Amino acid sequence: MLAAHLEITPAAPYSFTTTLDYLRRSSSAVLERVSEDDVYNRAVTLHDQDVLLTVKSVGSVDAPRLLLDVQGARVDEGTVAEAAALVRRIFSLDTDPAPFYALTTTSEIQNLKSKTPDAVFGALVQRYYGLRPVTLVSPFEALIWAIIGQQINVSFARKLKQRLVELCGGQLTVARVDYPLMPTPEAIAALDPALLAANQFSRQKSSYVIGAAEAVISGELDFALAASLPHEEAIVYLTRLRGLGRWTAEYVLMRGLNGRDSIPAADMGLRIAMGRAYGLGRNATELEVRELAERWAGWRGWAAFYWWHALQLGEV
């Protein structure tokens, strides 16, 4: 097993610790391993080989520095470069957060309906200062996780994700520790629906998961094309597929394609959090979430991530 080491300097401010707090509680983080001493581990396939990415912080929130280790049977310059680019994308390390923070400190009249910043959201951002969205490793992973999460609670969704990985995912062993790998589209497409049914997948959910994998294999679903389209056109493109509604499409854009302005406004977690935070006395409606989110235009996906984290911690 070979290893390479690289230092990455994120745009400041950045709190890797707060980011890992999110991952520890996220129902979508079934392939990530976060240690008690704040080290991130994830097995991925790069350059047709399986490698382990290990990331830890050696800096501070205002002067962030991360160390990346890449371990695999072959670790050449191309693999290391691809690993570094992936880590930068997963953790949104190259995005300057200053315009996002400006939404909470200045009167962005072109974006806000009022002439004052959103004090409720401003308090949230200050509470989790340095937090930045975590993107899933691939848009395919985001798509499959979103489909599995449709119409069920987060704990059951996590169980189904784990079962899918156990059924057809790979595994990388490093230093006698096993790290799961995300199933490929080909592996999911080859699954027997009866096997999925035996593992608590509904017939409809099995059909949607397998159908999504087949669409990726055939080229019917092209994530690069989706990423290149204006937001609403991307929504239309993604929702052509059977089983993909607007919530799923917005989730894929946000968590799979780094769509920092994409907010899955129908998400129940967002509706609960924002209903509480803005004193509605009930869950916010999808329309109310969208109306409130106009205040954060350009950064609505980042805002959603903050609300999710607050809900995770029971602080909203």
Side-chain angles (χ1 to χ4, degrees):
M1 190 70 66
L2 301 176
H5 315 281
L6 184 70
E7 182 172 311
I8 298 174
T9 303
Y14 179 62
S15 175
F16 193 57
T17 298
T18 307
T19 299
L20 295 186
D21 284 343
Y22 173 86
L23 286 174
R24 285 190 181 96
R25 296 170 171 83
S26 173
S27 66
S28 64
V30 299
L31 298 167
E32 294 80 0
R33 297 289 181 267
V34 179
S35 69
E36 292 183 359
D37 56 346
D38 287 346
V39 178
Y40 167 92
N41 294 280
R42 171 70 196 256
V44 298
T45 302
L46 300 175
H47 282 200
D48 297 321
Q49 68 159 322
D50 300 332
V51 298
L52 178 66
L53 308 181
T54 300
V55 185
K56 64 180 179 181
S57 174
V58 292
S60 63
V61 172
D62 291 313
R65 292 165 51 228
L66 301 178
L67 289 184
L68 166 64
D69 288 346
V70 185
Q71 299 178 70
R74 303 186 317 276
V75 181
D76 55 23
E77 289 185 5
T79 301
V80 174
E82 190 173 345
L86 178 59
V87 168
R88 288 182 176 278
R89 185 180 70 80
I90 290 171
F91 295 108
S92 308
L93 300 181
D94 293 334
T95 303
D96 179 6
F100 173 70
Y101 286 115
L103 294 178
T104 68
T105 57
T106 63
S107 297
E108 299 286 347
I109 296 175
Q110 67 271 31
N111 289 335
L112 299 182
K113 291 184 176 180
S114 64
K115 294 184 179 181
T116 58
D118 185 337
V120 173
F121 184 64
L124 184 77
V125 171
Q126 287 306 307
R127 191 185 313 159
Y128 308 125
Y129 182 73
L131 176 64
R132 208 169 296 179
V134 180
T135 302
L136 292 165
V137 164
S138 71
F140 177 69
E141 183 174 318
L143 174 62
I144 296 302
W145 282 181
I147 292 172
I148 288 177
Q150 292 171 351
Q151 306 298 319
I152 58 176
N153 64 54
V154 294
S155 60
F156 186 47
R158 183 178 179 85
K159 181 184 295 185
L160 291 185
K161 292 168 188 176
Q162 290 171 329
R163 288 185 176 177
L164 184 70
V165 172
E166 292 165 1
L167 288 173
C168 63
Q171 183 174 277
L172 174 65
T173 302
V174 177
R176 292 183 289 186
V177 177
D178 297 329
Y179 298 92
L181 287 153
M182 178 68 192
T184 64
E186 291 76 11
I188 293 176
L191 284 170
D192 184 343
L195 180 60
L196 287 172
N199 282 273
Q200 294 186 283
F201 280 74
S202 68
R203 183 170 60 180
Q204 185 179 64
K205 198 173 292 291
S206 297
S207 175
Y208 291 165
V209 166
I210 292 172
E214 291 173 341
V216 171
I217 294 169
S218 69
E220 180 185 0
L221 175 53
D222 183 336
F223 290 115
L225 174 58
S228 72
L229 296 172
H231 184 265
E232 288 303 317
E233 290 182 28
I235 295 293
V236 172
Y237 175 75
L238 291 171
T239 54
R240 294 176 308 118
L241 292 179
R242 192 168 61 89
L244 271 67
R246 188 178 181 96
W247 175 86
T248 304
E250 289 176 325
Y251 183 91
V252 171
L253 290 172
M254 175 191 170
R255 301 227 49 214
L257 293 169
N258 294 80
R260 72 184 186 196
D261 199 32
S262 180
I263 183 168
D267 183 80
M268 184 54 70
L270 288 179
R271 292 174 55 202
I272 291 171
M274 294 172 67
R276 291 174 182 171
Y278 288 93
L280 300 182
R282 54 172 172 74
N283 297 339
T285 66
E286 177 181 351
L287 178 59
E288 287 169 333
V289 171
R290 293 196 189 282
E291 289 175 343
L292 286 165
E294 284 296 317
R295 307 176 181 195
W296 322 310
W299 299 89
R300 283 171 278 212
W302 279 44
F305 199 81
Y306 272 71
W307 288 117
W308 279 340
H309 189 46
L311 191 64
Q312 281 182 337
L313 295 173
E315 295 181 353
V316 68

